[in-house]
Amino acid sequence: MQKSWYKEMAVYQVWPRSFCDGNGDGIGDLKGVLGKLDYIKSLGVDAIWFSPLYKSPQKDYGYDIADYRSIQPEYGTMEDFKAVLDGAHERGLRVIMDLVVNHTSDQHEWFLKGIEDPTSKYHSYYHWYKGKGKRRPNNWMSTFAGPAWEYNEKNDEYYLHLFAVEQPDLNMDNPEVRREVKDIMKFWLDMGVDGFREDVITFISKKEGLPSSPYWFPVATGIENYMHGPHLDEYLLEFKNDVLSKYDCMTVGEAPMMTTKKALKHITEGPNQHLNMMFHFEHMAADCLFYSWFKTKFSLKRLKKVFTRWQNDLYGKAWNALYMENHDQPRVINRYGSLKYRVESAKMLAVTYICQSGTPFIYQGQEIGMVNYPFTSIDQYTDVSTVNNYGVAKSLLGAEKALNLANYASRDNARTCVQWNAEKNAGFTTADEPWFWVNPNYTEINVEAAEKDPNSILNFYRKLLKFRKENEIVIYGDYKEHLKRSKDLYVYERNYEGQRLLVICSYTEKPVQFTAPAGFDLTKGECVLSNYDDTSVCTNGFTTKPYETRVYLFK
Ligand code: NOJ
């Protein structure tokens, strides 16, 4: 296994709109980020991934880009960005940008020019098709619900949008579009950024002719025609060979519906590697089918199976991207942990994934155990996918059930303002009104309170990340799961250069009798991390306390 900085780093994700408002207009911005760089550094992370900062009408909060080379005015200027970039680098923090090139905003000049003059080269930057009589070009449905086609009267044509109506898909088969993408990459890399998180990158190549799907789903009908399209490998390799390989940078591709087998085609180390890592979604489906709107009961066995498959299938060949939260996922404590045992379960969940082999990503607010917002009405939501999915759910299940689902599944849960202190608006802004909700629990759950408490979730994250940094076994060790059949305990070991690590995580408040696997004598190991003070051992095991976690190191 080759060593590399991107394997050793931990990454903190900033969703700028809700992170910190530095100019008092109620919206998070770069000035706010600048003021928090020391805080981010203090966590023990090595890089920041910024969700899109570019100029955008914000229909999908920056994932609809109108200009790839300028900063959203609400967030500041290019000078402000450069100050953040320099400030991060001075502190030894790398900066990863979000590269969103499956689609643009409908306000991007390429799109507007292509409508204005259908004979211009910009017209073929997108997927424009004539309808079939009065019907749309095919039966594909958007990932955000509703048809994936929008009619444009001026030219009597439809354009493809796999996401919101305002997010037309780029035609990556057009070499001019790929040249633009490479130019955008160069622009940011030349400025000094250290890599890209590539948004739905596995959707960029569509099957020729965009054939209709024989299947029907309420969302994303047709996905089999683009989720791993025919020219994906070729385009990713082109980006790598022509641009990325010329810089000391890293890439992590976002890849819905990804399996280890397919992922290995892209991330296996060697000359044909396309990306350094991939964000798959399989472990975020332990309480749902595919994604959180198809809710099921949480199953630890399902979760463990996925983790183990990715750990085993990739080990020695490719590198994992580890996460449990981001701006698209409701807060994980509500899903896999416990509100009653918020602190204990938050720590246990952190150990679960950060002690695995891979690069851990931590989403803003996760480090203080932020939880879902108590939404009571659909009118309180702002996310386009929530509003659309709610519409579908309401027509199938009725308003009450649809709202319950939204409360559980909405991405808006992750997008409330970061809770910095117990003052007005949780210290997020000095404006009277922040742009979005502040969870009323901010008087208890906030960074300032967590700083003061040595047993806080925040200080646990610091300890955990420090331990990872100081112990190569956590980064480069191999992985072996124990007690696979347990519905309550997740237990795995790591091995590296004669050292062993045993990780024990309880996913229940019930007491469970744990006995160390054969070959481990707990009295000979050091309990290096735990979420309870009492780490006593009895006959080579212990009875777990609610959501208990312990990590033992054997040297
Ligand atoms: C994935 C992003 O993470 C999400 O926030 C966005 O809505 C879609 N891609 C479309 O860009």
Side-chain angles (χ1 to χ4, degrees), residues 25-234:
D25 66 354
I27 298 170
D29 52 35
L30 286 164
K31 200 166 161 228
V33 173
L34 195 63
K36 297 295 182 190
L37 286 179
D38 285 331
Y39 168 73
I40 296 175
K41 176 73 185 172
S42 81
L43 301 174
V45 297
D46 311 278
I48 306 173
W49 150 30
F50 286 107
S51 276
L53 292 164
Y54 320 98
K55 192 162 175 209
S56 153
Q58 303 286 308
K59 296 292 178 197
D60 188 19
Y61 294 112
Y63 286 90
D64 50 324
I65 298 174
D67 181 352
Y68 289 93
R69 291 178 179 80
S70 64
I71 297 291
Q72 169 71 356
E74 290 168 326
Y75 298 163
T77 60
M78 194 56 92
E79 270 53 56
D80 295 325
F81 176 74
K82 285 182 181 154
V84 166
L85 183 64
D86 289 347
H89 283 165
E90 278 159 23
R91 289 166 178 81
L93 293 167
R94 296 186 195 249
V95 171
I96 297 162
M97 297 299 267
D98 220 306
L99 185 83
V100 188
V101 292
N102 176 68
H103 44 266
T104 67
S105 159
D106 63 353
Q107 298 306 304
H108 195 291
E109 66 167 356
W110 302 335
F111 190 70
L112 297 173
K113 282 183 177 163
I115 293 180
E116 190 54 40
D117 175 6
T119 63
S120 87
K121 70 168 189 173
Y122 295 111
H123 188 261
S124 54
Y125 272 30
Y126 296 87
H127 296 277
W128 286 106
Y129 280 77
K130 291 283 176 204
K132 294 182 175 163
K134 288 219 153 104
R135 296 204 333 266
R136 298 181 186 96
N138 71 21
N139 68 351
W140 294 5
M141 298 282 279
S142 148
T143 309
F144 288 168
W149 294 95
E150 185 71 7
Y151 182 64
N152 176 263
E153 227 180 279
K154 178 174 174 293
N155 298 325
D156 181 31
E157 287 176 317
Y158 290 85
Y159 67 84
L160 177 71
H161 62 90
L162 295 180
F163 293 90
V165 173
E166 299 86 353
Q167 290 169 299
D169 276 55
L170 282 166
N171 173 14
M172 206 57 78
D173 298 328
N174 181 341
E176 275 291 285
V177 172
R178 301 203 297 281
R179 183 193 51 78
E180 299 274 13
V181 171
K182 291 186 281 185
D183 284 351
I184 294 164
M185 287 177 162
K186 279 188 229 153
F187 175 83
W188 290 100
L189 290 167
D190 285 339
M191 196 184 294
V193 311
D194 303 284
F196 298 107
R197 175 264 187 192
E198 302 188 358
D199 190 68
V200 286
I201 199 67
T202 45
F203 285 11
I204 59 172
S205 164
K206 280 83 175 166
K207 202 178 272 173
E208 214 182 300
L210 312 189
S212 271
S213 175
Y215 315 108
W216 184 86
F217 303 106
V219 291
T221 298
I223 191 169
E224 72 281 7
N225 293 299
Y226 57 79
M227 74 179 167
H228 209 256
H231 301 289
L232 178 63
D233 296 19
E234 193 182 312

Side-chain angles (χ1 to χ4, degrees), residues 488-489 504-514 532 541-550:
D488 300 314
L489 299 185
I504 304 137
C505 296
S506 166
Y507 275 73
T508 175
E509 59 179 80
K510 289 183 308 195
V512 182
Q513 181 53 45
F514 165 75
Y532 287 91
F542 57 94
T543 305
T544 60
K545 292 179 269 302
Y547 296 90
E548 181 163 7
T549 184
R550 292 192 199 181

Side-chain angles (χ1 to χ4, degrees), residues 235-506:
Y235 299 159
L236 291 178
L237 211 53
E238 179 179 332
F239 299 154
K240 180 187 148 189
N241 290 339
D242 292 359
V243 181
L244 299 164
S245 62
K246 308 205 174 2
Y247 297 82
D248 180 25
C249 66
M250 59 75 67
T251 50
V252 51
E254 188 205 24
M257 317 279 281
M258 187 48 61
T259 59
T260 55
K261 197 167 157 207
K262 283 191 201 140
L264 283 168
K265 282 181 70 186
H266 304 290
I267 58 175
T268 297
E269 291 172 20
N272 286 323
Q273 179 175 14
H274 307 146
L275 297 160
N276 294 119
M277 312 175 237
M278 265 191 174
F279 283 135
H280 71 87
F281 286 59
E282 292 195 311
H283 65 302
M284 298 319 294
D287 63 347
C288 58
L289 291 173
F290 302 117
Y291 81 141
S292 44
W293 283 81
F294 297 114
K295 192 179 163 348
T296 60
K297 200 166 165 275
F298 170 71
S299 157
L300 176 63
K301 275 176 128 176
R302 234 190 301 163
L303 182 67
K304 297 198 295 186
K305 238 182 160 166
V306 172
F307 276 142
T308 296
R309 185 164 61 243
W310 281 84
Q311 288 290 299
N312 287 342
D313 290 2
L314 267 54
Y315 192 73
K317 297 184 201 140
W319 197 247
N320 268 290
L322 308 168
Y323 74 98
M324 276 211 161
E325 283 194 13
N326 61 36
H327 64 294
D328 291 332
Q329 301 287 342
R331 295 288 181 180
V332 71
I333 294 173
N334 293 72
R335 299 178 64 180
Y336 298 177
S338 154
L339 289 175
K340 184 168 162 203
Y341 295 100
R342 186 184 65 88
V343 173
E344 294 80 359
S345 65
K347 294 176 182 176
M348 181 281 291
L349 291 164
V351 166
T352 286
Y353 84 103
I354 293 179
C355 286
Q356 293 183 24
S357 164
T359 297
F361 290 74
I362 296 146
Y363 178 64
Q364 64 186 35
Q366 181 185 336
E367 78 279 15
I368 54 166
M370 281 178 61
V371 298
N372 286 353
Y373 185 81
F375 291 102
T376 51
S377 152
I378 191 64
D379 302 333
Q380 296 170 325
Y381 288 96
T382 172
D383 163 38
V384 52
S385 86
T386 303
V387 174
N388 292 1
N389 278 314
Y390 170 84
V392 175
K394 189 175 157 198
S395 66
L396 297 172
L397 307 165
E400 197 185 325
K401 282 194 178 145
L403 184 63
N404 283 342
L405 260 183
N407 293 348
Y408 190 78
S410 172
R411 318 193 289 184
D412 275 342
N413 283 304
R415 298 174 177 192
T416 59
C417 305
V418 169
Q419 297 161 210
W420 293 102
N421 57 42
E423 285 156 37
K424 192 177 167 213
N425 297 325
F428 164 75
T429 178
T430 53
D432 283 343
E433 292 269 330
W435 83 277
F436 200 39
W437 308 109
V438 174
N439 198 310
N441 64 22
Y442 75 94
T443 48
E444 280 154 55
I445 303 174
N446 63 66
V447 172
E448 201 175 286
E451 290 282 8
K452 288 185 194 138
D453 174 5
N455 286 320
S456 65
I457 299 167
L458 174 64
N459 282 316
F460 188 83
Y461 266 93
R462 288 182 171 135
K463 223 163 120 180
L464 175 55
L465 291 171
K466 183 166 184 282
F467 177 72
R468 177 179 181 273
K469 182 153 283 176
E470 289 171 354
N471 291 274
E472 284 203 321
I473 184 168
V474 189
I475 301 165
Y476 294 115
D478 69 4
Y479 168 99
K480 183 175 167 205
E481 191 191 346
H482 293 281
L483 302 180
K484 283 191 185 166
R485 308 240 294 264
S486 171
K487 294 199 299 276
D488 300 314
L489 299 185
Y490 180 30
V491 180
Y492 59 87
E493 68 172 272
R494 309 283 309 277
N495 287 278
Y496 188 69
E497 296 186 337
Q499 291 192 4
R500 302 176 91 189
L501 197 72
L502 186 65
V503 179
I504 304 137
C505 296
S506 166

